[in-house]
Amino acid sequence: MTVITHNRRRSRLSTLIDQPGGVSAGVALAQAKANLAEMEARSRAVIEEQVSALAALQPASSPEETARLLDQAYDHSSAVIDAAGPFELKDLCAAAANLCDLIDAAPEDRPFDWRIVTVHAQALRLLLTLPAEAAEARTQVLASLKDVLKAKVPGGAQSD
């Protein structure tokens, strides 16, 4: 007979709230929001760094070098997704994921169209600078990037 032991764990927040003289839920929420705001600022700095690194990549002359640079471009795009995802920066995630999809689908028997990386880096920069209320402009940028995916990858629009 197998015995399963379950140990209940309490979060640090619930422990602080339940202690006599502990933190109230309102204060804890305010503190959590302040911590998230600080993390979001750091996240944006990481995103800007990754977009700059992506924009700095230049086309290579050899297939081996191209493969290495595409791996770097993919890594930079993935880092944007990692940094933007927790903060609901969905447009940045979508643009970076679009580039990852294009790199994944790149045929190995043909040269890679490096303009794809350049356009995505520019689009990511634009999305970073657009104000939050510019929803229509953000939608247009993402639609244009989806058009690139549709044009370069057969069946690329299926993930809409």
Side-chain angles (χ1 to χ4, degrees):
M1 177 177 181
T2 304
V3 176
I4 299 174
T5 304
H6 177 70
N7 293 328
R8 284 193 178 261
R9 293 187 183 197
R10 294 178 52 108
S11 72
R12 197 178 96 152
L13 177 60
S14 67
T15 303
L16 287 172
I17 291 172
D18 289 343
Q19 287 179 351
V23 177
S24 72
V27 170
L29 284 173
Q31 191 174 21
K33 285 180 183 178
N35 290 343
L36 277 176
E38 179 185 322
M39 288 180 186
E40 185 172 357
R42 285 190 292 182
S43 172
R44 284 192 175 272
V46 168
I47 293 167
E48 289 174 13
E49 181 182 300
Q50 294 300 322
V51 171
S52 292
L54 184 64
L57 294 176
Q58 297 295 316
S61 55
S62 71
E64 296 80 19
E65 183 71 7
T66 298
R68 187 183 67 76
L69 289 172
L70 285 176
D71 286 344
Q72 286 181 3
Y74 192 96
D75 291 344
H76 293 308
S77 293
S78 294
V80 168
I81 296 167
D82 291 343
F87 300 101
E88 297 295 314
L89 301 171
K90 294 179 181 177
D91 51 354
L92 292 170
C93 289
N98 201 70
L99 178 56
C100 288
D101 289 344
L102 284 159
I103 292 171
D104 278 340
E108 293 181 20
D109 60 337
R110 287 187 278 153
F112 184 79
D113 185 354
W114 200 260
R115 295 174 299 175
I116 292 169
V117 174
T118 304
V119 165
H120 278 76
Q122 291 170 347
L124 285 164
R125 272 209 176 114
L126 178 60
L127 291 169
L128 278 168
T129 59
L130 283 172
E133 52 276 353
E136 187 175 322
R138 291 176 181 280
T139 301
Q140 288 176 339
V141 170
L142 292 176
S144 296
L145 294 178
K146 279 290 184 194
D147 288 344
V148 173
L149 182 64
K150 290 175 192 174
K152 295 290 183 180
V153 179
Q158 293 175 353
S159 61
D160 285 344

